[in-house]
Structure formats: C-alpha cells, structure tokens
Amino acid sequence: MGKSRARRFRRAPFSPGGEAPAGGGRRRGAEDGGGGGGGGGEEPATELLEKLQHPSAEVREYACASISKLLQQKHVIPAFLQRDVVRCLGPMLLDHSLAVRETAAGALRNLSACGGFEVCDDMVTKDIMTPLVALLKECSAGLDANQLSPKKCREMNKNYVEDIANEAINLLWNVCECNNTAVSIFNKEGCLEAVLHYMKKFSTNVDLAISVANCLQAVTEDNPELLSSFSSSAQQVLETVMLCPESTMKHILLRTLIAGTIWNIKDTIPPGSLASMVNAILKIFSESLEVDAGETIIRMNEAEKNRLKLAAEAETEENMSDVIENCVLSEDDEMEEISKGKVGRENDISDLLPSDKWELKEVTALLMAQQTALEIIVNMCCSEDPSDDEWEELSSSDESDLFMENSYNEGSGLLMSPLCLSDEVNSAFLNYLIPKKILEKTAFPNSVALDICMHNPSWKPLIKKLNTVQCRALTCLHSILLVSDVDCLGGASALQSLAQHLSQLVFSKTEFPKDTEFLEAITSALRALLQTMASKNISQCMTPEQLIALCEAGIQSSNASVRVNVVSILGISGSVLAKAEDTAETLKMIGKFLLEVAMKESSLVVAGEALDALFDVFADGKEAEKAAVQIKLLPALKEFQPVFKMRMRKEGKGGYSADQLCVLDNVKMNLRRFIAYQETLVKNPT
C-alpha cells in the first residue's frame, strides 16, 4: 500500500520444474551415457547402487551414468533417496577411476538440480561437502600439469581433470545456493582459492570458467564472512577475466557474471577505486545489452543450417570416395588402404567444424548474460546493505550538468535516467546508454526469431528465455523510475512517451497477456511510472476504458502482486481524475470496482490496497464527492468496516508478515478516519 517498493533480485537456483537456470542445471543424458548408461533407466535403484561397489571401474562408471540419467526424472528421486544415494555416490567422487569421478559428480549434480531445496539440504546433512571439497582441491592441485590424466585420456583429446572440475563446480553451485551450511563450509575450507584457480583456465576452457563464475556469484551474495578472503591477487584474477577481449556470447556471459561477483564484493574495493569499478561493471552490462538477441537468433540459426549442410555434403563426399576406392582396391591392399583412410579422416574438414549445437549455446549464453545484467542493475538501484553509506559519501548534493544535457537520447526522446548513487556512477550510466538499452529490451521479442524457435524443437526453450529478459527489463525500468528524479528521467514528454510504450505492450495484442511474470513486471513498471507522473501533475495517457480493462484482467491473476499493482494503478489514476472536471461517471466505475475488490478479495493485502486506493480517489474534489454519493460509498464502507476488522483478527496471525500486518493496521485506522471524513461531507455538503 502506498508507494511501490523496488524489487531486489536474489539468484533463484531452481525453476518450478526443478532445473537450475544455467550451468548448474541437469547434466544431459547424452553426456551421461558414456559408460553404457543408455539402458540403465529400466534397472531398479537398488541394483544400480549395489553396482557402485563392483571391483570393475567400467561397471561403476556404468552405474553412475545410469543413475545420472534416472535422476533427471523427478518421480524417481524418492526411491534413490530412500536407499541413501548421497552416501553411496559421495565416495565415488574420490574413486581411483577418473571416469567414475566424472559420472558420479554428474549424477550428484542432477540430483541437486532436479531435487530442489529439500534434496540439497539433505545432501549437505549427509556430508556431501566433505568429498566434494576434497575433490575440488585435488583437481585444483593437478590442474596445471594435468597430472591425473593418463596417456589414454590425452589421446582421446579429453581433459578429465577439467571435466571433473566442471561437474563438481556445478554441484557446489547448486548446494551453496540452497544451503547456508554449504556456504559456511565453502568459507571455512578455503574453497575460494581452488575455485579461483579454475578461473585461470578461462582462455582455454570458457565453459569451466562460466561454471566457476556462476558459483562465485552465488557464494559471494550476502556473505560478508567471505570478503576477507578476497585478497588483491584474488581480485586480480577477476579483473583479468573482465578485461578479456574475446567477443563470443559465452565470453560476454562470463564477463557479466564476473561483474556481478565484483558488485557483490564491492565492500572490499578501496573507496578511491569504487567509481572506476562501477564504470567497468556498467561498461560490461552495456556491451551485453546492446546485442540484439532476436537478430542473433536469426543469424545463428542460419549459421547452424549452413554448418549442418556442409557436414552432410562432406559426409556424402567421403562416403562416395570410400565407394570408389573400394572398387579399385585390390584385395591384398585393402586393409592397408583402409588404415590410411582412417588417418586421413582425422584431418578432414568436418573435424574442424564447431561442436554440435554451438550456435544454440551461444544464443543461450547471450540471453543469460542479458538477464544477469538486468538483475544486477535492479540490485544496484535498490541495494539495502548498510554499506550504502559509502555511496552517499561519494554523492554530491548538486545535480551534475551532465544529467540535464544527456537526459534524452538525442533525437529519439527515449528515457535516459541515471542511477542515483554518485556523480561517477550516474555519468557512467548515461555514457553507456544503459537506460536506452533497458528500454529496448522491454519490447516484445522479434517475431521472426520467435517463429524460428517455435518450429525448431531444440531452439524452442529460447522463447521462455526471451520472455524472461523482457520481464527483467521491465523490472529494471520499475527500479529506475523509483530512484530517479523526474528531470533526470527526461521530463514530462519522455515520461508520457514511456507511458504510451508500456500501454502498447499491454494492449497491442488481440488477447490480454496472461503470463504471470510478464503481468507482474509490466504492472509494477506502470504503477511506478503513474506514481511519478501523478506526483508532478503530468497528465496521464491511459484512457478510463484502458484502465478498467487492465484492472479487470489483472484482478483475475493468481499472483497477489499483480492484483495489488492493478488496484494501486486504479487508485493513482482515480486520484488524478478526481481533480479534473466532468469525471464523476469514470470515478463511479473506479469506485465500484475498488469496493468490490475490497469486499470480495481473498487476500487481506489486496483488500487493504483496494481500501487505500478508495481513500486516495475519494479524498477530495467535487467530482469525487458526487460520485461517492451516487455509489453509496459511505454506507458500503460502514457496513464493511466490522467485516474487515474481523478478517484481520482471524486471518492476520500467522498468515502475513510483520510488515504487512503493520500496513494493514494503518489501513484499518485510515478506514475509521475516512468514514468520519465522509460523514462530515454528508452533514456539510459543499
């Protein structure tokens, strides 16, 4: 109730489906099948767990790989948990066979990703951290010389140490995001040094570096105990990665994640270096956000088609060549020539082509980078840490001339607002055109790119990622609106243009949007914008019909935040209309709607917001007085007052937070005062 609050993003490790959002997610079955695990799904949990004790390393690897595949199915997990799968697989992390170590780590990674919070808690309780930490340190010690990899592995062009480390880091990431005890163990066991050692491989193994960066961002969030471990040499490792010049999407993601980690450890940065640090972070975010994801999808999809076409042509040509050679070879020379042919294939052009689905992986990395950048910018806008006093010391009470000069993107009228942290930060925010890039990301995804994803099963998951980026951009916009001054936002015309843009997002489709995440993001942004415009008497742009349509659709949402937002939007707009002429009919519609919500809403918080909105709309003005009489507002509220009090007594305890109850108490008190005010108006009409 009242002003909307900025949302602070916390890294959410698991989606409702149980899969982690990025590298910490499931280890795919294709990777797990190396030990012959393809048929393992049909074997019972008991038999597979028993095979972990088999003297043959190949059998143990097969068992781990089979378990790994099965654990991707959530309904199978309880059967394995009942048979103590964590304590069975834990020792396999230190098996003398490197293949067993890798598949065991992959199986535990799947368990942590697909099992969710409770399973991760159980894994820590059953001491998975002891063998995991030992494995991480052992791999780190042998990383440079690759001492643990036998000659056979090198001939296979497989680096077991780095592959094992990648699985182990993803497992560590998952459990640390879910369990504070795991984070404490990370701190006390000095895991940071080992993890940073892996990061040094970023130039040759970007996938491992991305896994490490994800893990680092997780363990550095709200972890002051770890800050003392970030020595100057540790910070130098991160700085080196931030400055890497590679322009692939994976490297953009890597730099973005590292930037997020550095933001988390900003308290370790000397005050004199804060401005340059923020400048470097914002530059990375700018580079990430300036890439057009839709165009990248189109381009990468075309590259994939060309690659597959070349591969098919090369395979056909190779097969034809083999047929011709076999026709002219004598029987005596056949074995020798086939042997030569095998050597020749090692240098064939098909071996130089990118690995399978690299284009899809690049696009996925880009979208994750953009989502991460937007989430961190949101946190930069609404950081609640006590250390924010340091930013205030850097801030100037006077607005910089640069803000006024650069409030608009020249010629476009697009929103160009800074973060209100310090002059240096604001300047960097503007210089890198970050508000403009955020605004661009709020638009609906490219229709051609969406069509490509819709008709390509392996690319279809990108649709959700595209929509997530849009929602994060809207939330980012919401945060900027809350912390920025109107003049810095570009003035009245820029805000009106933004309001038209947001309205178009809501009403441009033939059907009203139903996606909960989008609705929460768009209504939060609209609410913040309308609050800002109303506070400065800037005329609203949404018609009464649009307002009612938005609220009627939004109030049906299962998400309470959406319902709170639309009710608040109606209250803000109604309070503005109450000051205008000939608005009584519209105010009647608004009043009836808000009364119905207050009386019928299942959530006390939403009902309280509806009452708060009623107080705002009918607080003052002749049109409001006229409408209040016509909808019989006073008798309706007097009848509802005891009902609301009773609901608070019955539902308030245990069902709501202390903050929510405090706000609801204020609403209850304001309801009594508003009724008294309305009674005065009835006795003394103007």
Side-chain angles (χ1 to χ4, degrees):
M1 281 140 270
K3 283 195 172 184
S4 60
R5 295 182 62 188
R7 173 180 179 178
R8 185 168 185 265
F9 275 104
R10 298 186 63 86
R11 290 173 57 81
F14 303 112
S15 67
E19 186 173 347
R26 296 188 296 224
R27 187 172 188 262
R28 299 298 181 186
E31 297 170 36
D32 294 339
E42 299 177 1
E43 296 192 277
T46 302
E47 184 177 343
L48 288 172
L49 292 173
E50 287 175 354
K51 286 182 178 179
L52 295 176
Q53 307 304 318
H54 198 279
S56 168
E58 290 186 357
V59 174
R60 296 197 302 277
E61 181 188 359
Y62 164 82
C64 288
S66 300
I67 292 169
S68 185
K69 287 191 72 175
L70 286 171
L71 288 175
Q72 294 184 47
Q73 306 169 48
K74 291 196 71 171
H75 68 276
V76 173
I77 290 176
F80 279 97
L81 292 175
Q82 291 167 11
R83 290 161 179 80
D84 215 5
V85 64
V86 177
R87 288 199 172 102
C88 291
L89 281 173
M92 299 294 103
L93 293 177
L94 301 174
D95 194 277
H96 64 78
S97 165
L98 301 182
V100 173
R101 291 186 181 195
E102 184 183 5
T103 49
L108 287 164
R109 172 184 173 182
N110 282 352
L111 178 63
S112 66
C114 301
F117 290 93
E118 291 183 3
V119 170
C120 284
D121 287 341
D122 184 61
M123 293 175 78
V124 175
T125 300
K126 292 181 176 174
D127 199 27
I128 193 59
M129 291 297 289
T130 295
L132 178 57
V133 169
L135 175 63
L136 287 166
K137 291 184 176 180
E138 190 174 331
C139 286
S140 177
L143 193 63
D144 295 327
N146 201 13
Q147 296 166 355
L148 298 178
S149 294
K151 181 180 179 183
K152 177 182 177 182
C153 297
R154 290 195 295 272
E155 290 172 350
M156 293 166 57
N157 195 27
K158 179 173 177 63
N159 189 322
Y160 262 116
V161 177
E162 294 183 12
D163 291 345
I164 293 169
N166 194 36
E167 296 298 335
I169 286 291
N170 278 287
L171 171 58
L172 179 67
W173 169 22
N174 286 348
V175 294
C176 284
E177 280 198 314
C178 295
N179 187 278
N180 289 332
T181 302
V183 176
S184 296
I185 294 171
F186 182 97
N187 296 342
K188 292 172 184 175
E189 292 293 330
C191 294
L192 180 63
E193 183 180 354
V195 169
L196 286 173
H197 193 49
Y198 297 133
M199 181 60 75
K200 294 177 183 178
K201 290 288 182 181
F202 76 92
S203 60
T204 56
N205 192 337
V206 68
D207 291 322
L208 174 60
I210 288 172
S211 297
V212 172
N214 272 304
C215 185
L216 281 173
Q217 199 185 0
V219 297
T220 55
E221 187 172 22
D222 299 327
N223 185 7
E225 185 183 340
L226 186 63
L227 296 183
S228 60
S229 301
F230 275 93
S231 61
S232 57
S233 60
Q235 293 178 14
Q236 183 64 43
V237 173
L238 300 181
E239 183 180 339
T240 301
V241 178
M242 282 183 67
L243 296 174
C244 73
E246 284 82 356
S247 59
T248 71
M249 303 305 158
K250 285 187 177 181
H251 284 90
I252 289 176
L253 172 58
L254 175 60
R255 287 194 292 270
T256 303
L257 291 167
I258 293 298
T261 298
I262 291 178
W263 175 255
N264 288 343
I265 64 167
K266 61 183 179 295
D267 291 345
T268 68
I269 308 295
S273 303
L274 279 174
S276 59
M277 178 271 286
V278 175
N279 188 78
I281 289 175
L282 292 177
K283 180 180 180 183
I284 287 171
F285 293 165
S286 175
E287 291 171 351
S288 170
L289 294 173
E290 74 181 353
V291 182
D292 188 317
E295 292 299 323
T296 303
I297 287 174
I298 296 169
R299 189 175 69 254
M300 286 295 178
N301 182 255
E302 191 63 29
E304 182 185 65
K305 290 178 181 177
N306 292 335
R307 173 174 62 80
L308 294 175
K309 181 181 177 182
L310 284 172
E313 290 174 354
E315 184 177 355
T316 301
E317 185 177 334
E318 183 180 320
N319 291 338
M320 289 295 294
S321 177
D322 286 347
V323 170
I324 294 170
E325 287 178 10
N326 288 336
C327 290
V328 300
L329 284 174
S330 66
E331 199 171 70
D332 293 338
D333 295 336
E334 187 169 356
M335 291 306 296
E336 181 183 352
E337 291 299 326
I338 289 176
S339 177
K340 291 179 181 177
K342 287 180 180 176
V343 174
R345 286 184 199 176
E346 292 178 5
N347 298 315
D348 189 88
I349 187 173
S350 61
D351 293 330
L352 301 176
L353 292 171
S355 59
D356 186 40
K357 298 194 183 302
W358 74 269
E359 300 91 351
L360 177 58
K361 292 175 182 176
E362 282 284 282
V363 177
T364 302
L366 171 64
L367 293 173
M368 284 307 304
Q370 293 183 343
Q371 177 182 334
T372 302
L374 291 165
E375 289 176 357
I376 297 169
I377 292 171
V378 169
N379 292 347
M380 293 173 83
C381 286
C382 60
S383 178
E384 298 172 356
D385 296 334
S387 59
D388 283 356
D389 291 341
E390 296 176 17
W391 292 109
E392 293 175 12
E393 292 173 10
L394 290 173
S395 299
S396 168
S397 59
D398 297 322
E399 290 183 342
S400 166
D401 292 339
L402 181 64
F403 299 170
M404 303 303 295
E405 292 171 7
N406 293 290
S407 291
Y408 290 99
N409 179 31
E410 191 170 339
S412 70
L414 291 172
L415 182 72
M416 288 295 294
S417 70
L419 289 174
C420 294
L421 293 175
S422 70
D423 286 349
E424 293 89 347
V425 177
N426 287 328
S427 178
F429 203 67
L430 290 169
N431 288 342
Y432 294 123
L433 304 180
I434 285 179
K436 174 179 178 291
K437 293 169 185 177
I438 291 170
L439 189 59
E440 289 170 352
K441 293 292 177 281
T442 64
F444 285 115
N446 184 308
S447 59
V448 177
L450 284 177
D451 190 61
I452 288 171
C453 296
M454 281 295 296
H455 293 90
N456 191 331
S458 60
W459 290 60
K460 198 168 185 177
L462 292 181
I463 296 175
K464 181 172 177 56
K465 296 182 187 298
L466 285 164
N467 292 334
T468 298
V469 168
Q470 181 192 27
C471 291
R472 295 296 185 272
L474 287 165
T475 303
C476 207
L477 184 61
H478 165 241
S479 296
I480 292 173
L481 285 164
L482 292 181
V483 302
S484 298
D485 182 83
V486 171
D487 291 332
C488 295
L489 292 169
S493 60
L495 293 181
Q496 287 174 327
S497 296
L498 178 58
Q500 290 173 355
H501 168 69
L502 294 180
S503 300
Q504 189 175 15
L505 291 178
V506 176
F507 297 108
S508 61
K509 303 286 185 180
T510 53
E511 291 187 3
F512 193 83
K514 292 183 173 62
D515 180 76
T516 299
E517 187 178 15
F518 173 78
L519 275 177
E520 183 176 359
I522 188 72
T523 54
S524 294
L526 268 172
R527 178 182 179 181
L529 176 61
L530 293 176
Q531 278 177 346
T532 302
M533 295 174 74
S535 68
K536 297 297 181 180
N537 295 319
I538 300 171
S539 60
Q540 310 281 308
C541 67
M542 293 178 70
T543 66
E545 291 76 20
Q546 286 179 324
L547 277 171
I548 295 297
L550 170 65
C551 294
E552 285 179 344
I555 207 68
Q556 304 300 322
S557 173
S558 59
N559 185 298
S561 295
V562 173
R563 303 200 300 276
V564 165
N565 284 338
V566 296
V567 165
S568 178
I569 286 169
L570 203 54
I572 295 165
S573 299
S575 64
V576 173
L577 290 170
K579 299 171 185 176
E581 296 182 359
D582 300 324
T583 57
E585 288 302 314
T586 302
L587 293 175
K588 282 169 58 179
M589 284 194 302
I590 292 174
K592 288 178 181 178
F593 183 90
L594 292 174
L595 268 176
E596 186 174 4
V597 173
M599 294 176 179
K600 296 182 179 180
E601 170 61 47
S602 60
S603 166
L604 267 177
V605 172
V606 181
E609 188 71 44
L611 287 171
D612 222 20
L614 278 168
F615 305 155
D616 290 340
V617 174
F618 295 96
D620 192 24
K622 291 183 179 180
E623 295 296 308
E625 289 180 26
K626 187 192 306 182
V629 171
Q630 292 177 359
I631 65 172
K632 299 179 180 178
L633 179 63
L634 177 58
L637 289 178
K638 290 177 73 172
E639 184 180 347
F640 179 64
Q641 186 179 25
V643 176
F644 186 69
K645 288 181 178 179
M646 182 181 66
R647 282 194 64 186
M648 282 193 63
R649 283 196 301 270
K650 285 186 175 181
E651 303 172 30
K653 293 181 180 179
Y656 299 93
S657 68
D659 286 345
Q660 288 173 326
L661 289 175
C662 181
V663 173
L664 286 168
D665 278 333
N666 284 333
V667 172
K668 183 175 68 173
M669 181 175 63
N670 289 336
L671 176 58
R672 177 173 53 82
R673 291 174 175 174
F674 186 75
I675 288 173
Y677 165 70
Q678 287 290 317
E679 287 175 334
T680 303
L681 290 179
V682 171
K683 292 176 183 176
N684 304 293
T686 55

